RNA sequence: GGGGCGUUGGCUCAGUUGGUUAGAGUGCAUCGUUGACAUCGAUGAGGUCAGAGGUUCGAGUCCUCUACGCCCCACCA
């Protein structure tokens, strides 16, 4: 590992060259594997949210990779056996749609080529395009263990899926039957409740007359006139005086003249529409419930393509929208229509595909969710599982407490085929290993159910199926339960809740103890990125331009847990600049380390104020970062590190260090080198989880025998020096004020000036070279008595610094400047005195807060007095 | 209908046991390059922390209400 001839650092960090090289360096040495930590190490495990195998990389992927890689790298450096399990999801509908599109372009279809050939083609497609997203994980620096990569259709995961299904079946928690479900006519499959997206849209409300026996009619309103064909009742409110006399009479379905009853139910809202409701149980969820209550027949009027079926009389064969139009026209001709009006309503559309979902009666498989949900609720309620940010626990409870049975069957071919078999008598057999004969009648003529399972059924098993379950593998024993589940809040129901339910149900353990939810990445104006809007930021292009580290750092510091963040390119640019800053610091440090670079941690004893200051600050930073990480405040921690590195280390300490480095004092030089190196090393460690590439590359240029940064030891705070920090604050304050004066008076930057000091002379004298370097004050003299007339005065606490500026001082301007400062100080004093004069404050505030306030007031008073003195002495 | 989030300088955002003069990036103004960095440095202007009330010695931070924006869940034809 020793690198005796470390090449000089290049002018800038070449991320394009370094990133793939470093990734290979880490991966080929096995540092992504938990085994690097040794057998005694405590595991830390994250199962990756598996991206769709043929999906395209978007910022959501970069977001989760950045966060999870941060956690993994941090825990790895803390000595844990960090395991990040990679993998991909077969994504049933999305992938099947992609392949079907390809087939269409070839002039064929899945129906034409058949199931077997279709699956063959889909696997080919997966082999061809499935690698892209996986390679992009490498591009982002994801330190996952590739030896443990999984795919939801792997044989071992398929075994887990069948085991889960059969277990639920044996427990009576899976059932099959005709139910009203969400049907996607375009995809020709059932979809679950969570896959339906509802949005307000402009539509029409149609008012018409429902003929009643005896020549009367009830006015009814509907948004879907074609469903009239499936009506099996008309409902009114039992106490509605307008219609009360019609309850129990017979109504006739328009155009079909099918007799149906007029019923009364309190569900009907008298205020809405006409106050009368048509009941179409086979095509509406509310009507379905009412029909069950009243034992009404259910008449399905549509086929799988949502065209009117044979129950639609003269409309048979028409598409649902064509039927709507024709039926309405026919009713109009019959004088049955009243009016139409514009109406805003909620339209359900499929998450994939986007066409309008049709509620239909269909034979599907369901899981009874209440027993599973009860356990999942308890796990979070008891605190075994913590959701970050906490407010999502409420959302989680609300969903689980109102959970409905899960429709798990999909009329697709790409996915896990339902392990249920039918004989010619219609009996169902579900057995491990695949049955050879019917469990009921013994028939050997079995056919498997054609449907596949919802993709989320297999992803629900992900944290344990990837580790070998149901086999009791060593990995399952060592790495399950996992630790953190990190993902976007948008899949809390789809995925997170189901993993918790299935994990608890099948393994009897929580699958993870912490759920960390991040927000969505939007464009810089807060709009959702979409291809149609053309505002999509392509992460690949961004990484090409600014480097992976820059994009990662931007996303990690760009928001807070659970909240969406707006991404502006200017922020990525800033992150790139920060990486450059770090590179330049390192370049400076490494080129000034001399022939025998220090190897020991610096000893603060006897060091100068700036030396002790930076050591105290960097250790304070370590403590701060630790506290923030403990609370999942990764963004704030990133800013703290950035601010230290740039604003304190680079802008102050590196500048100050030049005094020693450019001197001939070998002892002081060596001390300074040690502090520079230690501060840089610590900064690199803290920053590595955010910017893995640039930090590791710099690390390789540091001298001495050292472990690679990725597996180096996470720092702990070991030093704190309040005195040095206070003294340095005084020095910094004075320097900034000198610069300010120079700027205001237009003193040429190169011009050296002198100063006379009153108070704290020892501190100033000891740091005279700091003033010389940072504000070009070449000499500070002790002021013995009187005040120099031709000078500008600077006051900071008990120190007054006079800058003799012969011929440059405008006394009127100086007076104005001092008066302004005095007013400012006076205002602060007033506030402080008021606080300290308040008995409640003295009695109830924490003692250290009161003490701090007293110190502050004393300093302010000194400043005020000095300012007044100077104003009095100022020539008129 | 229920629940949640947001509202802080021109713009984008930090600010988590309530406690110094509310911070940063970007934009703006002025100045600055022979020795880490113009992907830079120095200095400065710019904010009644949406509004009202309350709790408290003390509120950007906690509570209530209001306004505006956004999101999730939910069966109004």
């Amino acid at each position: 590992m020793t690198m005796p001839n470390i090449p000089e650092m290049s002018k800038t960090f070449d991320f394009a060259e370094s990133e793939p090289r470093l990734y290979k360096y880490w991966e080929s040495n096995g540092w992504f594997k938990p085994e690097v930590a040794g057998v005694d190490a405590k595991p830390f495990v994250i199962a990756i949210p598996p991206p769709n195998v043929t999906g395209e990389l978007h910022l959501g992927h970069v977001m989760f990779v950045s966060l999870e890689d941060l956690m993994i790298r941090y825990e790895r450096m803390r000595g844990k056996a960090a395991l990040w399990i990679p993998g991909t999801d077969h994504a049933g509908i999305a992938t099947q749609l992609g392949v079907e599109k390809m087939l269409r372009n070839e002039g064929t279809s899945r129906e034409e080529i058949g199931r077997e050939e279709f699956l063959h083609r889909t696997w080919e497609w997966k082999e061809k395009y499935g690698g892209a997203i996986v390679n992009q994980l490498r591009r982002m620096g994801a330190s996952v263990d590739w030896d443990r990569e999984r795919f939801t259709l792997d044989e071992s995961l398929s075994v887990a899926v069948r085991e889960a299904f059969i277990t639920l079946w044996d427990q009576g928690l899976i059932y099959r039957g005709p139910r009203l479900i969400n049907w996607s006519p375009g995809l020709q499959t059932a979809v679950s409740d969570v896959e339906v997206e509802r949005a307000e849209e402009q539509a029409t409300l149609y008012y018409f007359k429902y003929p009643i026996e005896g020549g009367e009619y009830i006015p009814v309103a509907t948004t879907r006139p074609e469903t009239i064909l499936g009506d099996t009742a008309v409902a009114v409110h039992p106490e509605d005086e307008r219609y009360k006399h019609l309850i129990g009479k017979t109504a006739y379905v328009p155009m079909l003249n099918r007799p149906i009853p007029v019923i009364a139910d309190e569900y009907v809202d008298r205020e809405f529409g006409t106050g009368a409701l048509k009941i179409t149980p086979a095509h509406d969820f509310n009507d379905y419930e009412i029909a069950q209550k009243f034992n009404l027949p259910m008449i399905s009027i549509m086929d799988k393509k949502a065209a009117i079926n044979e129950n639609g009389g003269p409309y048979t064969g028409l598409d649902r929208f064509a039927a709507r139009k024709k039926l309405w026209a026919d009713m109009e001709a019959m004088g049955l229509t009243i009016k139409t009006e514009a109406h805003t309503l909620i339209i359900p559309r499929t998450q994939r595909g986007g066409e309008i979902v049709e509620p239909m009666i269909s034979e599907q498989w369901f899981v009874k969710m209440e027993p599973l949900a009860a356990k999942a609720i308890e796990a979070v309620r008891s605190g075994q599982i913590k959701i970050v940010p906490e407010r999502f626990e409420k959302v989680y409870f609300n969903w689980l407490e109102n959970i409905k049975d899960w429709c798990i069957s999909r009329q697709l071919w790409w996915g896990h085929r339902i392990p249920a078999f039918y004989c010619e008598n219609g009996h169902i057999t579900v057995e491990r290993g695949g049955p050879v004969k019917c469990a009921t009648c013994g028939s050997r003529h079995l056919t498997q159910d054609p449907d596949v399972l919802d993709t989320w059924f297999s992803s629900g098993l992900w944290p344990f199926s990837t580790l070998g379950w149901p086999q009791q593998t060593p990995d399952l024993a060592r790495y399950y339960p996992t630790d953190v589940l990190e993902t976007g809040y948008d899949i809390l129901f789809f995925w997170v809740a189901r993993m918790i339910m299935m994990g608890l149900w099948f393994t009897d353990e929580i699958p993870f103890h912490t759920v960390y939810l991040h927000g969505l990445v939007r464009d810089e104006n807060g709009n959702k990125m979409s291809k149609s809007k053309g505002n999509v930021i392509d992460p690949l292009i961004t990484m090409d331009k600014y480097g992976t580290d820059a994009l990662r750092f931007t996303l990690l510091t760009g928001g807070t847990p659970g909240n969406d963040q707006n991404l502006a390119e200017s922020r990525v640019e800033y992150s790139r600049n920060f990486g450059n800053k770090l590179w330049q610091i390192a370049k400076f440090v490494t080129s000034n380390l001399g022939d025998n670079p220090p190897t020991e941690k610096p000893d603060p004893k006897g060091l100068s104020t700036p030396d002790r200051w930076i050591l105290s600050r960097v250790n304070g930073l370590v403590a701060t970062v630790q506290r923030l990480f403990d609370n999942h405040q990764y963004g704030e921690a990133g800013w703290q590190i950035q601010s230290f590195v740039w604003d304190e280390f680079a802008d102050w300490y590196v500048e100050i260090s030049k005094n020693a480095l450019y001197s001939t004092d070998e002892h002081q030089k060596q001390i300074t080198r040690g502090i520079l190196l230690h501060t840089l090393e610590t900064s690199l460690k803290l920053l590595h989880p955010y910017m893995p590439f640039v930090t590791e590359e710099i690390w390789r240029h540091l001298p001495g025998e050292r472990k690679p940064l990725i597996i180096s030891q996470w720092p702990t705070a070991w030093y704190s020096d309040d005195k040095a920090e206070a003294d340095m604050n005084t020095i910094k304050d004075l320097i900034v004020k000198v610069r300010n004066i120079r700027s205001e008076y237009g003193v040429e930057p190169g011009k050296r000036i002198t100063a006379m000091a009153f108070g704290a002379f020892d501190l100033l004298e000891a740091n005279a070279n700091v003033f010389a370097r940072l504000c070009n004050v070449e000499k500070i003299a002790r002021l013995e008595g009187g005040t120099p007339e031709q000078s500008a005065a600077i006051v900071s606490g008990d120190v007054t610094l006079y800058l003799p500026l012969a011929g440059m001082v405008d006394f009127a301007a100086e007076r104005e400047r001092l008066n302004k400062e005095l007013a400012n100080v006076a205002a602060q004093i007033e506030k402080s005195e008021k606080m300290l004069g308040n008995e409640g404050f003295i009695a109830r505030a924490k003692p250290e807060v009161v003490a701090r306030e007293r110190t502050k007031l004393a300093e302010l008073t000194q400043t005020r007095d000095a300012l007044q003195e100077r104003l009095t002495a100022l020539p008129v």
Side-chain angles (χ1 to χ4, degrees), chain A residues 496-767:
Chain A
V496 180
R498 283 164 181 171
M499 270 190 293
I500 294 175
M501 288 189 278
M502 292 168 100
L504 288 164
W505 199 258
F506 296 118
T507 72
D508 221 23
E509 288 188 275
I510 52 168
F512 31 74
H513 55 70
T514 300
V515 174
Y516 179 101
L517 298 170
H518 65 251
L520 272 49
V521 183
R522 299 169 177 278
D523 77 2
E524 62 186 306
N525 301 313
N527 296 313
K528 206 167 177 176
M529 291 187 192
S530 71
K531 281 182 186 168
S532 54
K533 282 186 204 152
N535 62 345
V536 177
I537 296 178
D538 183 342
L540 294 172
I541 294 172
T542 309
M543 288 190 283
D544 284 344
K545 199 166 165 190
Y546 300 105
T548 299
D549 289 329
L551 184 56
R552 286 176 55 134
F553 187 79
T554 304
L555 291 175
L556 287 169
T557 55
T560 43
N563 291 322
D564 296 350
Q565 65 169 288
N566 299 348
L567 181 66
E569 188 170 328
S570 64
R571 289 206 52 245
V572 187
E573 192 179 346
Y574 171 77
S575 300
R576 188 268 320 260
N577 295 355
F578 174 51
N580 177 63
K581 193 71 187 179
L582 189 69
W583 185 262
Q584 299 305 334
I585 293 169
K587 205 175 156 207
F588 171 82
V589 172
T590 53
S591 61
N592 282 290
L593 288 175
D595 296 332
N596 296 298
T599 52
E600 301 288 308
K601 189 165 82 176
D603 178 3
K605 207 185 290 176
L607 295 186
S608 72
T609 297
D611 288 345
R612 285 180 294 120
W613 166 75
I614 198 69
L615 288 176
S616 182
R617 294 297 299 154
V618 75
N619 278 284
L621 175 70
V622 169
T624 300
V625 168
Q626 190 63 58
R627 177 177 58 79
L628 292 168
F629 272 26
D630 289 344
N631 292 300
H632 304 284
Q633 302 291 310
Y634 305 109
E636 181 60 17
W639 283 122
Q640 295 279 343
I641 302 166
Q642 180 274 152
S643 162
F644 169 79
V645 168
W646 203 323
D647 303 340
E648 301 193 270
F649 188 29
D651 288 351
W652 289 93
Y653 191 75
V654 165
E655 288 309 314
I656 291 169
S657 75
K658 289 174 182 173
N659 280 327
L661 295 177
Y662 298 165
S663 77
T664 52
D665 183 341
E666 273 309 315
H667 176 66
Q668 191 56 46
K669 270 185 170 174
Q670 199 63 6
I671 287 171
T672 303
R673 287 167 181 153
I675 295 168
L676 283 169
L677 190 55
H678 176 74
T679 308
L680 177 60
E681 283 172 337
T682 309
S683 303
L684 291 172
K685 286 179 177 183
L686 295 177
L687 220 37
H688 183 254
Y690 293 84
M691 310 181 105
F693 292 111
V694 70
T695 50
E696 185 76 79
E697 183 63 7
I698 291 171
W699 192 259
R700 286 161 61 84
H701 286 85
L702 299 185
E705 196 167 324
R706 53 180 71 234
K707 275 179 148 183
L709 184 55
I710 187 174
I711 51 166
S712 68
Q713 200 185 0
W714 187 254
T716 49
W718 55 272
Y719 182 63
S720 172
D721 190 333
D722 291 346
K723 179 73 166 63
E725 295 204 21
D727 284 348
M728 194 62 195
N729 280 343
T730 301
I731 292 170
K732 284 169 69 183
D733 187 39
L734 288 168
I735 288 171
V736 168
K737 283 174 173 164
V738 171
R739 287 167 172 170
N740 180 357
I741 295 277
R742 293 184 62 118
S743 174
E744 277 189 33
Y745 283 107
V747 179
E748 288 166 36
K751 185 175 168 65
R752 291 185 184 155
I753 58 174
T754 59
M756 277 169 281
F758 180 80
F761 186 71
D762 291 345
L763 178 67
L764 303 188
E765 188 181 40
N767 293 285

Side-chain angles (χ1 to χ4, degrees), chain A residues 237-341:
Chain A
H237 195 276
E239 266 135 53
D240 193 327
E241 295 302 331
R242 293 171 293 178
Y243 311 125
K244 217 171 177 175
H245 64 289
L246 298 174
I247 295 167
K249 295 208 170 179
T250 299
Y252 295 92
V253 176
M255 309 316 294
L256 298 182
N257 286 319
R258 185 153 43 75
I260 58 173
V262 177
I263 60 171
D265 193 272
E266 289 180 352
Y267 166 77
V268 180
D269 181 351
R270 278 173 283 183
E271 308 298 318
F272 189 85
T274 64
L277 182 60
K278 60 189 269 316
I279 304 294
T280 321
H283 296 283
D284 185 282
F285 287 95
N286 299 315
D287 296 1
Y288 183 79
E289 278 183 28
I290 292 174
Q292 287 190 314
K293 190 169 159 188
F294 285 86
N295 258 321
L296 297 172
M298 305 194 184
I299 301 176
S300 180
I301 58 153
M302 287 183 209
D303 64 17
K304 289 180 178 182
K305 292 179 177 166
I308 305 301
N309 66 13
E310 67 281 4
N311 294 324
Y315 305 95
T316 303
L318 289 177
D319 172 75
R320 51 182 164 167
F321 301 117
R324 176 180 298 178
K325 211 170 162 184
K326 184 160 193 304
L327 176 61
W328 189 252
D330 292 347
M331 285 170 63
E332 199 160 21
M334 297 277 291
L336 288 174
T337 62
I338 298 169
K339 62 172 179 179
T340 61
E341 64 182 28

Side-chain angles (χ1 to χ4, degrees), chain A residues 32-35 82-87 144-151 154 462 466-467 474-475 478-479:
Chain A
F32 293 164
K33 301 184 67 60
E35 287 81 7
L83 170 59
W84 191 9
I85 308 161
V144 297
D145 183 357
W146 290 110
D147 294 341
R148 288 178 167 91
E149 185 184 355
R150 298 289 182 267
F151 176 50
D154 283 348
W462 187 250
T466 50
L467 290 168
D475 265 12
R478 176 146 169 75
Y479 300 114

Side-chain angles (χ1 to χ4, degrees), chain A residues 86-298:
Chain A
T88 45
D89 192 287
H90 67 280
I93 294 177
T95 306
Q96 177 156 333
L97 281 176
V99 176
E100 287 192 53
K101 192 177 168 190
M102 178 183 76
L103 293 175
R104 263 201 310 281
N105 290 339
E106 292 175 11
T108 181
S109 69
R110 73 167 158 129
E111 289 81 4
E112 202 168 310
I113 64 173
R115 184 166 192 147
E116 200 178 325
E117 177 61 14
F118 178 81
L119 289 178
H120 176 68
R121 295 295 304 271
T122 309
W123 276 103
E124 272 184 0
W125 161 283
K126 182 255 171 189
E127 295 307 324
K128 191 169 173 189
Y129 298 108
I133 199 101
V134 167
N135 286 330
Q136 285 157 350
L137 290 176
R138 295 171 191 272
R139 175 80 194 274
M140 291 182 276
S143 58
V144 297
D145 183 357
W146 290 110
D147 294 341
R148 288 178 167 91
E149 185 184 355
R150 298 289 182 267
F151 176 50
T152 46
L153 284 178
D154 283 348
E155 180 50 30
S156 67
L157 275 76
S158 300
V159 168
V161 166
R162 289 194 291 272
E163 176 69 22
F165 184 95
I166 293 163
T167 303
L168 290 171
W169 172 263
D170 290 346
Q171 291 167 335
L173 293 174
I174 282 185
Y175 63 92
R176 180 173 185 267
R179 294 287 186 285
L180 191 63
I181 47 89
N182 302 296
W183 183 265
S184 167
L187 306 170
Q188 296 208 23
T189 177
V191 292
S192 68
D193 295 331
V194 284
E195 287 166 283
V196 176
E197 291 178 344
R198 293 159 212 276
E200 274 196 355
E201 291 182 28
Q202 279 303 319
T204 308
L205 188 57
Y206 299 82
Y207 290 81
F208 67 98
K209 301 173 184 171
Y210 230 108
I212 311 288
E213 58 177 311
E216 279 192 79
Y217 68 85
I218 297 180
V220 176
T222 181
T223 54
R224 295 185 293 157
E226 70 279 12
T227 61
I228 290 170
L229 301 170
D231 285 354
T232 57
V234 173
V236 298
H237 195 276
E239 266 135 53
D240 193 327
E241 295 302 331
R242 293 171 293 178
Y243 311 125
K244 217 171 177 175
H245 64 289
L246 298 174
I247 295 167
K249 295 208 170 179
T250 299
Y252 295 92
V253 176
M255 309 316 294
L256 298 182
N257 286 319
R258 185 153 43 75
I260 58 173
V262 177
I263 60 171
D265 193 272
E266 289 180 352
Y267 166 77
V268 180
D269 181 351
R270 278 173 283 183
E271 308 298 318
F272 189 85
T274 64
L277 182 60
K278 60 189 269 316
I279 304 294
T280 321
H283 296 283
D284 185 282
F285 287 95
N286 299 315
D287 296 1
Y288 183 79
E289 278 183 28
I290 292 174
Q292 287 190 314
K293 190 169 159 188
F294 285 86
N295 258 321
L296 297 172
M298 305 194 184

